[in-house]
Amino acid sequence: MDPPAPQFPVPVPVRPHTADHGPFTVRVSGGDTTIDVAWETLLAASSHVGAAQELAGRQLDDVAANNTLLLVPRPQIPHWRAPLLVARSASLSMRIIWISGLVEKCVSAIEYSHDKYREGESMIRRWLQISELISETSYVIDQAGQGDGRLAGDWARSLGVLGGQEALRLVAAYFTRGRSGLGGGRPSGRDRFEDGAGFGFLAIAKLQEENALAAYEMARHDLRLGDQTGTSFHHGDGTLHSWYQQMGQVSEEGDLAVTTVAGDSGETTYMVHLPGLDMDITDLNRQDGRGYLGLVDSAFNDAEQLADVVDEALESLGAQEGDQIALSGYSLGGIAVTNLVRNGRLGEKYDLVAATSIGAPGRHGGFPPGTQTSTTHIQNRRDPVPHLLGEHQGTGVNRQVIEVAHHNEDARPEDPSLFGDAHSYQHYLDIVEELETNPEEHLGEGGDALLRDFSTLYQGQAETHVFRTGWEENPDSQDPDLFDPEFWEATGLTTGVWESIERLDVLGIGDAFGPVTPVEDPETPGTPDLEDTAPPSPSERTRGAGTLDSGTLDAGALGSAGEEDGQGLAGEPGGAIGEESLGGAVGSDASAVRSQAEAAANPQEPVRGHRDRAQPLTPGVIIPTTPRSGPAPGADDGEPSVPQPLTPAVIGPPER
Amino acid sequence: MYSAAAAHLDQVATVYDEMAARYRRAAGLGPQQRTQLVLAQDAVRWESLAGDAFRGLIDLLMADSAGVSEEAEDLASEASILAGVMREGAQVARHLAAILDAVAGLDIVGISGEVLLRRARAAVDDVMSLGSFLDDYGGVPPGLGDVIAEVLRPPVEQNAT
């Protein structure tokens, strides 16, 4: 069985194919669509160009080595060819470097464009799924009204997980929009969120970004193939449904099953099944094959360790290089299957023909160029698990995602699951059965080709061997403990987390309280002469109320600032406080005065404000230079304190 | 007589030979490179502006790859020629050393003879001197031994007359 070879022009209609059939709705993405064929051929081509570039690199190594030799001064018989050789050799190396640079840029551009396309596609699919879930609201309410609360539970879980991240982004964007009118280019909170998220704004994100958790755990632990716990014989009928039905028992007996299917011509096909997570939250041990460490390996370590164990199990049953193998998995086993195809280790050794997963967390990103494995992911729209990692299943010419909305009102699962009925194995068996019963109706003409690539392997006499797996601590590991600061330092996590916090500008909350500057009436004598003013010390330029010396700035002074705002002071609380109230210590910020003078001299040039942004110099009102606690100017003669034009308060450059 | 210049030039010739081998190896990678480029071009067969641009880029790379191979081959030839030149120089130095061996112990009479011998000795020891010796005499003077013999003979003839 060969995966469908791209044909030109592509003979099938552009998918996704969507068919609405009451309670069983199907959406198919991927397969040999025009765009997927185009992308995959382009990526395959760019990998060939990359290989050519590698050869150019080797050429360059040789020429560059010669250039080095040519530059070594060594007495020799003068010959006109010698300097010419130096020049031509240098020119040749520059030519290779230039062309290599061009090629590298092109290859990167292709990969970048592809990533961006997939990101965009993923976002659209997320929103499409959210919209579809929202559109089901009335149906869910109806069902709930009729006493079917399970559907509502599934729906809410899925919507919560799927929409959670998007909602968080929206909320962040809404509440922290840059104050464009006043902000003058200040990065918005949304930008910061994106920045922060991109940098891994939380330790967990950082751990994931650096893949540090997986690196840490995998360096300290090894997955081992345990004993064979059972063998069963069955007859494959060539359907995916009967395959998954047979494999339903595996999770009870072990952690990994290998089924040998004898072909008509005597060859044996090895079909591997990986069940879902088996983690008792009351017993978070590190030994279970499908426990915490299994999750780390499968989801965050590209199933590298599992690949070795599967290989060992295959070898123990007589599999040899080049033999046909296939993979299937449910939930955690499903993402392991995806990553086993992705990491390419089994594919390099065996003929990895097909893979399927049901109810598995999504994993975007493509498979290595040239991967011919037919891969099908089946997921239920109301199952939250496929969205748990916040990623979408990637698609491609040989990679298809079948998303189904299905609810069986009559089903009464015995064991309630944390992830709801929509994630139950039985639920997926129903889905697979329906898909296989009416393939054209649900998947369109020929839409089940990739599914059949897998199911047809399960035909004839089959023998299933179930194995246990377990994690062992690696005694040779020298890595520091997770709780050891050295681990955080060595992996750069500490720096990363601080960078993230800085980028989020959480510490920039002090922006709300600018450094106190003198407010002088230009007419008032006594404005400090710039020439005579000493440059401010760093402490004088320190911004933020939190940094002010409490001995210098008393509560009354702060209070007066707030009241000044109430009188229409252009600025913000704390932006201008009477100089005398501060004893001149903070208020006589020379840099502020200098900035003020510079601004006056060159009105086009923005003045650096306390938020590190350009601030318009708007006329304000004068601020009494006497503390509130004392008599206001003019109070003695009974005249009210009249606001007067003021050169705006300018605040020194921020300490970043 | 040992010639340091000859030994040194032999080493330089070996370096040029190695360089020639490297240039040839670089040129030899060209066909493999072009095979990869042909595969890349074959993969993108769809018709669009992007497809055309990609194929255009591949054409450019193919032409460049051929050009690089050709240039590398040329440079390999140049390096081989230079290696040959250095070996010839080494041969001259060894020849001079042999001549100097032959005239060793004889009394040299006459300024020109002394100069010639001094320069020949320097040329045997030092590559730069060998170069200037070759420049001045156009290589090893044919029958340098005879010349030296001529240089040695005049005092006898002068005595005879």
Side-chain angles (χ1 to χ4, degrees), chain A residues 6 8 37-39 41-42 44-49 51-53 55-56 58-59 61-63 65-67 69-70 74-82 84-85 88-89 91-92 95-96 99 102-103 106 110, chain B residues 8-9 12 15-16 18-19 22-23 25-27 29-30 32-33 36-37 39-40 43-46 54 57-58 60-61 63-64 67-69 71-72 74-75 78-79 81-82 85-86 89 127-128 130-131 134:
Chain A
F8 304 92
V37 170
W39 272 122
T41 52
L42 191 58
S46 82
S47 82
H48 286 302
V49 174
Q53 196 199 350
L55 291 165
R58 283 166 56 191
Q59 285 180 320
D61 288 345
D62 279 338
V63 177
N66 283 352
N67 289 345
L69 288 173
L70 286 169
R74 53 169 64 87
Q76 55 182 302
I77 294 170
H79 196 285
W80 62 269
R81 287 178 189 274
L84 211 60
L85 179 67
R88 286 177 67 184
S89 189
S91 158
L92 178 63
R95 178 178 177 174
I96 298 173
I99 290 288
L102 176 73
V103 172
C106 288
I110 289 170
Chain B
H8 184 82
L9 285 176
V12 175
V15 170
Y16 274 118
E18 283 173 4
M19 285 168 58
R22 276 198 201 90
Y23 284 128
R25 190 166 63 188
L29 291 171
Q32 295 177 46
Q33 202 178 29
Q36 291 292 340
L37 293 173
L39 288 171
V44 178
R45 281 183 286 164
W46 30 271
F54 188 83
L57 172 74
I58 300 293
L60 172 77
L61 294 178
D64 182 72
V68 166
S69 292
E71 178 69 355
D74 274 1
L75 293 181
E78 293 290 302
I81 290 171
L82 284 168
V85 169
M86 299 305 142
V127 175
M128 299 312 289
L130 177 68
L134 293 177

Side-chain angles (χ1 to χ4, degrees), chain A residues 163-516:
Chain A
Q165 194 180 8
E166 300 304 317
L168 193 61
R169 282 184 192 282
L170 279 181
V171 168
Y174 180 79
F175 285 108
T176 59
R177 282 178 301 188
R179 281 167 276 178
S180 55
L182 298 169
R186 181 183 191 192
S188 69
R190 182 184 180 173
D191 291 340
R192 287 179 187 165
F193 182 84
E194 298 287 348
D195 253 5
F199 248 74
F201 79 104
L202 291 175
I204 291 171
K206 194 66 194 166
L207 279 165
Q208 191 180 355
E209 185 186 330
E210 301 287 332
N211 210 15
L213 180 65
Y216 166 79
E217 295 287 20
M218 294 302 109
R220 295 169 69 92
H221 298 92
D222 294 325
L223 183 62
R224 303 278 183 215
L225 184 67
D227 297 333
Q228 197 171 319
T229 54
T231 305
S232 60
F233 298 90
H234 41 106
H235 190 85
D237 62 357
T239 67
L240 196 63
H241 176 253
S242 63
W243 166 257
Y244 273 117
Q245 202 163 28
Q246 283 294 337
M247 294 302 112
Q249 304 302 315
V250 173
S251 64
E252 301 294 323
E253 296 175 15
D255 303 314
L256 155 69
V258 180
T259 302
T260 55
V261 185
D264 294 339
S265 49
E267 83 284 354
T268 303
T269 300
Y270 298 85
M271 301 178 75
V272 178
H273 178 75
L274 302 165
L277 186 72
D278 180 21
M279 190 160 70
D280 181 357
I281 54 170
T282 61
D283 177 25
L284 280 177
N285 67 64
R286 288 169 171 251
Q287 286 83 46
D288 295 344
R290 289 183 284 135
Y292 159 71
L293 289 172
L295 173 67
V296 171
D297 181 47
S298 296
F300 306 114
N301 190 42
D302 271 0
E304 293 282 349
Q305 297 230 25
L306 186 60
D308 290 340
V309 167
V310 169
D311 187 21
E312 199 181 332
L314 287 168
E315 280 180 352
S316 73
L317 295 172
Q320 292 178 352
E321 279 191 42
D323 281 350
Q324 276 199 342
I325 65 165
L327 306 171
S328 73
Y330 162 66
S331 194
L332 172 72
I335 192 171
V337 162
T338 306
N339 282 329
L340 285 172
V341 178
R342 179 206 286 263
N343 74 35
R345 292 172 68 168
L346 291 173
E348 278 169 19
K349 183 171 178 182
Y350 303 102
D351 179 12
L352 180 47
V353 179
T356 72
S357 72
I358 51 176
R363 191 78 211 268
H364 57 229
F367 292 151
T371 302
Q372 296 293 308
T373 308
S374 296
T375 313
T376 311
H377 310 282
I378 298 172
Q379 58 191 50
N380 188 349
R381 186 195 298 170
R382 299 184 201 105
D383 178 359
V385 171
H387 312 297
L388 275 182
L389 297 180
E391 292 189 24
H392 249 292
Q393 289 288 11
T395 53
V397 174
N398 296 319
R399 193 174 175 192
Q400 190 178 45
V401 178
I402 300 173
E403 190 185 87
V404 178
H406 168 57
H407 174 62
N408 183 356
E409 295 172 25
D410 304 326
R412 290 283 178 269
E414 289 174 3
D415 301 323
S417 157
L418 176 68
F419 299 117
D421 293 350
H423 185 62
S424 72
Y425 197 81
Q426 182 56 47
H427 193 87
Y428 275 103
L429 281 181
D430 291 349
I431 288 174
V432 171
E433 187 175 25
E434 175 60 25
L435 287 174
E436 285 189 313
T437 307
N438 301 301
E440 285 201 8
E441 190 182 342
H442 297 305
L443 304 173
E445 194 181 340
D448 61 343
L450 297 181
L451 265 184
R452 278 190 288 106
D453 282 343
F454 184 95
S455 59
T456 49
L457 296 173
Y458 181 54
Q459 206 142 28
Q461 202 54 44
E463 192 177 329
T464 296
H465 305 266
V466 182
F467 297 86
R468 279 243 175 267
T469 61
W471 290 90
E472 285 178 6
E473 203 153 325
N474 179 359
D476 301 328
S477 171
Q478 300 293 319
D479 292 346
D481 191 80
L482 186 61
F483 300 102
D484 186 342
E486 196 191 323
F487 168 78
W488 289 77
E489 292 296 338
T491 50
L493 288 170
T494 313
T495 319
V497 170
W498 277 110
E499 266 175 11
S500 304
I501 291 171
E502 220 165 74
R503 282 189 159 239
L504 274 175
D505 214 5
V506 172
L507 303 181
I509 194 101
D511 280 354
F513 309 96
V516 182

Side-chain angles (χ1 to χ4, degrees), chain A residues 4-74:
Chain A
Q7 292 176 16
F8 304 92
V10 180
V12 296
V14 174
R15 274 194 284 269
H17 166 84
T18 308
D20 190 349
H21 302 280
F24 198 93
T25 309
V26 179
R27 176 185 301 283
V28 183
S29 312
D32 49 358
T33 60
T34 307
I35 190 74
D36 281 318
V37 170
W39 272 122
E40 286 202 12
T41 52
L42 191 58
L43 287 173
S46 82
S47 82
H48 286 302
V49 174
Q53 196 199 350
E54 238 179 81
L55 291 165
R58 283 166 56 191
Q59 285 180 320
L60 181 63
D61 288 345
D62 279 338
V63 177
N66 283 352
N67 289 345
T68 308
L69 288 173
L70 286 169
L71 286 180
V72 174
R74 53 169 64 87

